[in-house]
Amino acid sequence: AYTDYTCECSYGSGGCTVTKPSPSGTACYCAYLGAWTCSGTIVTCKNDDAEDCVTPTTSISSCIQGGGECGAYADTCECEQNEKGGCLITRAAPRNTACRCYNHGFPYYYCTAEVVGCGVYHADTCGVPDMSIDSCLQGG
């Protein structure tokens, strides 16, 4: 186990961020504990081959590898409703992540977005996301 190693997470507006990355080959799981406090626990990566598992950082993509609370990152993506009532990406996700659009239909008709892990980590649209349908499909 990794009892001699730690990772750390801190609270920020909207959730947690990784402030001390986990060791190589692992991820940091951030948990919101309440009272504006987050903690980090070393866990296995969602994808062992992902760049952010091999060399963890404090980025949102490394946080997503841990599978915990990653809501305080300024790096985000955006979706808007299109003329047919569906959602489309209007601001691409950060590198090594994907954008998941949520369509809130009747009676409100708007879209929201969340940065998530990629469906296919080795695809070009994971490493360098854009606003294409392929990037949208990466987010699920």
Side-chain angles (χ1 to χ4, degrees):
Y2 294 98
T3 54
D4 296 339
Y5 300 96
T6 61
C7 69
E8 295 175 7
C9 299
S10 295
Y11 178 79
S13 178
C16 303
T17 60
V18 175
T19 52
K20 178 183 175 191
S22 60
S24 178
T26 66
C28 191
Y29 177 91
C30 294
Y32 177 65
L33 304 177
W36 306 281
T37 306
C38 295
S39 71
T41 304
I42 295 174
V43 296
T44 58
C45 297
K46 285 187 167 193
N47 183 319
D48 293 339
D49 296 329
E51 178 182 328
D52 295 295
C53 181
V54 176
T55 310
T57 66
T58 57
S59 69
I60 189 170
S61 51
S62 280
C63 188
I64 288 171
Q65 279 294 319
E69 162 55 55
C70 304
Y73 285 89
D75 299 344
T76 187
C77 65
E78 294 177 6
C79 298
E80 289 181 3
Q81 194 170 48
N82 66 21
E83 66 278 355
K84 295 180 181 177
C87 297
L88 56 91
I89 297 171
T90 55
R91 180 177 173 192
R95 65 185 302 275
N96 297 325
T97 67
C99 190
R100 178 174 292 155
C101 297
Y102 296 94
N103 190 339
H104 304 274
F106 182 81
Y108 303 109
Y109 300 107
Y110 68 98
C111 297
T112 57
E114 176 185 17
V115 177
V116 296
C118 296
V120 180
Y121 280 94
H122 296 293
D124 291 343
T125 52
C126 179
V128 184
D130 55 26
M131 296 181 291
S132 69
I133 186 69
D134 289 338
S135 279
C136 185
L137 293 172
Q138 280 283 357

